[in-house]
Amino acid sequence: MFIHLNFCFCALLSQTKTGIALLYDEVSENAYDIRLKLTKEVLTIQKQDVVCVSGSDHSANVHLLRNAGDEVTITVQYLREAPSFLKLPLGSPGPSSDHSSGASSPLFDSGLHLNGNSINTAPSSPSSPIANEPKYEKRWLDTLSVPLSMARISRYRAGTDKLRSNAFEVLALDGVSTGILQFYTAQESADWLRAISTNISDLTLQNMKMANKCCSPSDQVIHMGWVHERLEGTDSSQLYKFKFLALKGSSFYIFSTPPVSTLDWVRAEKIYNLCEVLFKIHKLWLADDCWLQANLYLGIHQDFDLEDHRPYCFSVMVGHGKSHYFNVELCSELAVWEKSFQRAIFLEVQRTGSKTYMCSWQGDTLCFTVDFALGFTCFDSKTKNVLWRFKFSQLKGSSDDGKTRVKLLFQNLDTKQIETKELEFQDLTAVLHCIHSFIAAKVASVDPVFIDSQSIARKYMYSN
């Protein structure tokens, strides 16, 4: 039997965008104007500089020195234009500039104003007509290009929970950083953050499609991307570290760096079976009043031991009572992760069909099976004799001691009485998560609306 699910992911439309921003130095607390150019695959930073636009060909190659590298060989030649250029008075008018920016070149700040027409300027020699004199203009020049494929974004100061004001940083896969990009308004910052995130997501989707061409239908990549993970055992400062998550085939992967080859998938830091994990949203908003409203309206469970200053947080609970706590930059990312976990888990349930765990009760070694078609079955591990079997609909409740023992309450269809079945498992958490996964998939198979009705992040997005 296969579950037919209608998952609606919004089509990603790559953004093309140009605008003025500030490049901020957190050490010196200085900032200067830059221009950003966003394309489908690259974010380019441009700085303003003076370039020769006409006249001497020698002057037109000033930029060669700037971009030459660590070692250069220079041939010095006397230029007739140089004396008159250096004698320009401080009051000479400068070249045309981009009025959208108040930035200036070090050449102008030093008092060397170009293309002046002062009467104090030395007259041109017959061998150097005015038409051949160099002319200079301010231009936006590319200084850094950051590839967006597998890039990541952070609005937080490194090692802290402090949110940068109207600013964020973009880091390429190889670690190259844009530096801190600061914007004049919160709206500008939000617009650029969404645009860059959209392009990164679009490129990630392309990478997933390429990877899936080399994978079997049962081992497809459902979703992957960067998140922040809160480090275990940290103090109240709540330190986070970048991690790359992936949902692929039967497994949930946690990487320190993205997998770029087939071999990289076996080098994950952690690998968990999708049937045995539980996705859980913790926080959606930063402001106390908005969070409280969302908490009451959506029924989100708040863990006070996980409180911090970051919105858009979720955890993935795994076996033996452990969990990983993550944070993303946008609510839309949180919604995608929630939806992707649901999809990946449901697909894994329909692929496997059943999961069997060893257990014991009163000294007997038993096998407990969760089956998508049959429900729950318990049988003797040696004789294979079935001890009891119940459908999913017969499960009326459960309780556990938080360690190894669980009580399952089933309703007998004939007597209508509740029967209690007690079992002990080595990894009780994994078994409980598996039961949850199979029941959720079973409900989704008969009620397609169930998935959307369970999406907390999507409800929050629609309510706002």
Side-chain angles (χ1 to χ4, degrees):
M1 180 183 295
F2 290 90
I3 307 173
H4 298 284
L5 305 176
N6 295 320
F7 292 97
C8 298
F9 287 94
C10 296
L12 297 173
L13 300 176
S14 297
Q15 301 288 311
T16 301
K17 193 175 176 69
T18 302
I20 301 298
L22 293 171
L23 191 60
Y24 179 71
D25 188 328
E26 288 184 318
V27 177
S28 64
E29 298 186 347
N30 293 326
Y32 58 91
D33 281 349
I34 58 172
R35 188 164 73 167
L36 298 178
K37 287 178 59 180
L38 177 64
T39 63
K40 177 181 178 180
E41 299 181 344
V42 176
L43 176 64
T44 301
I45 294 180
Q46 296 180 318
K47 296 180 182 178
Q48 220 173 30
D49 208 341
V50 177
V51 296
C52 182
V53 296
S54 66
S56 172
D57 292 337
H58 300 289
S59 299
N61 295 326
V62 170
H63 72 282
L64 294 179
L65 179 61
R66 179 173 56 249
N67 300 322
D70 296 333
E71 295 184 6
V72 296
T73 301
I74 301 177
T75 301
V76 181
Q77 180 180 357
Y78 173 76
L79 297 178
R80 293 182 181 274
E81 300 96 329
S84 59
F85 167 75
L86 294 174
K87 292 178 182 178
L88 286 175
L90 296 182
S92 300
S96 59
S97 62
D98 189 337
H99 295 289
S100 63
S101 169
S104 61
S105 165
L107 205 54
F108 288 113
D109 295 337
S110 67
L112 298 180
H113 298 273
L114 311 181
N115 297 339
N117 296 316
S118 170
I119 59 174
N120 294 327
T121 303
S124 301
S125 63
S127 61
S128 179
I130 296 178
N132 291 329
E133 288 186 359
K135 298 183 183 299
Y136 299 88
E137 287 184 1
K138 277 186 178 181
R139 292 281 180 87
W140 290 107
L141 303 178
D142 294 353
T143 59
L144 179 65
S145 293
V146 178
L148 296 179
S149 180
M150 298 294 189
R152 58 192 191 271
I153 300 176
S154 178
R155 294 185 294 160
Y156 297 90
R157 294 178 182 270
T160 73
D161 278 332
K162 294 182 179 179
L163 201 65
R164 296 186 177 106
S165 178
N166 302 339
F168 57 84
E169 179 182 14
V170 182
L171 298 99
L173 178 61
D174 60 2
V176 173
S177 169
T178 58
I180 309 304
L181 304 178
Q182 193 171 57
F183 300 85
Y184 292 100
T185 66
Q187 186 61 49
E188 282 184 299
S189 179
D191 290 344
W192 275 97
L193 180 64
R194 281 192 293 266
I196 297 173
S197 296
T198 296
N199 288 12
I200 292 175
S201 298
D202 189 36
L203 292 170
T204 300
L205 183 59
Q206 292 183 27
N207 290 329
M208 287 168 48
K209 291 180 178 178
M210 292 296 294
N212 285 338
K213 290 181 179 180
C214 304
C215 300
S216 65
S218 63
D219 199 31
Q220 298 285 292
V221 180
I222 301 299
H223 187 59
M224 60 183 184
W226 287 102
V227 298
H228 303 270
E229 182 179 17
R230 196 181 74 167
L231 301 182
E232 294 182 1
T234 55
D235 54 21
S236 58
S237 62
Q238 309 291 1
L239 297 180
Y240 283 77
K241 187 175 182 180
F242 273 114
K243 291 296 173 68
F244 192 86
L245 308 185
L247 303 173
K248 181 176 183 290
S250 62
S251 303
F252 163 51
Y253 296 82
I254 301 178
F255 296 91
S256 57
T257 59
V260 294
S261 69
T262 304
L263 295 177
D264 289 339
W265 289 96
V266 299
R267 298 168 183 165
E269 291 183 349
K270 302 286 184 180
I271 303 177
Y272 301 102
N273 184 277
L274 280 169
C275 288
E276 299 177 350
V277 302
L278 183 64
F279 179 93
K280 180 180 177 183
I281 286 181
H282 286 277
K283 295 174 71 175
L284 287 170
W285 196 243
L286 185 61
D288 291 338
D289 54 346
C290 294
W291 161 245
L292 179 61
Q293 181 180 2
N295 189 31
L296 295 176
Y297 176 69
L298 300 175
I300 304 172
H301 177 66
Q302 182 179 12
D303 290 331
F304 292 97
D305 61 331
L306 294 177
E307 285 185 341
D308 52 35
H309 299 291
R310 296 192 176 207
Y312 316 132
C313 298
F314 68 93
S315 67
V316 180
M317 303 174 69
V318 296
H320 297 288
K322 297 181 180 180
S323 65
H324 296 270
Y325 190 74
F326 303 107
N327 156 256
V328 290
E329 298 288 345
L330 299 171
C331 185
S332 58
E333 293 180 289
L334 185 62
V336 170
W337 276 113
E338 182 186 30
K339 195 81 164 185
S340 298
F341 264 94
Q342 290 176 343
R343 183 186 180 197
I345 291 172
F346 294 167
L347 288 175
E348 177 57 15
V349 168
Q350 73 179 27
R351 274 194 300 264
T352 58
S354 66
K355 292 279 289 185
T356 299
Y357 298 90
M358 298 296 294
C359 61
S360 63
W361 181 244
Q362 295 181 343
D364 295 327
T365 301
L366 308 175
C367 291
F368 175 76
T369 297
V370 186
D371 188 278
F372 186 77
L374 301 177
F376 306 99
T377 302
C378 186
F379 57 92
D380 188 280
S381 62
K382 296 179 180 179
T383 65
K384 307 301 179 183
N385 292 330
V386 175
L387 304 179
W388 48 263
R389 175 176 289 148
F390 295 96
K391 297 179 180 179
F392 287 112
S393 59
Q394 292 178 267
L395 181 63
K396 300 303 178 181
S398 66
S399 62
D400 62 85
D401 62 0
K403 298 178 182 178
T404 61
R405 183 175 299 183
V406 63
K407 291 183 179 181
L408 301 175
L409 307 179
F410 297 102
Q411 186 179 44
N412 188 298
L413 295 179
D414 297 326
T415 65
K416 306 300 181 183
Q417 299 297 313
I418 299 296
E419 299 183 15
T420 300
K421 305 298 182 182
E422 296 188 40
L423 299 171
E424 290 186 358
F425 296 91
Q426 184 177 3
D427 187 353
L428 178 61
T429 304
V431 176
L432 295 179
H433 290 170
C434 181
I435 293 174
H436 178 275
S437 298
F438 273 74
I439 291 178
K442 191 70 174 179
V443 175
S445 67
V446 296
D447 182 11
V449 183
F450 171 76
I451 299 171
D452 284 334
S453 68
Q454 297 300 304
S455 177
I456 294 176
R458 286 171 66 87
K459 285 182 183 179
Y460 174 78
M461 291 174 67
Y462 292 151
S463 67
N464 284 271

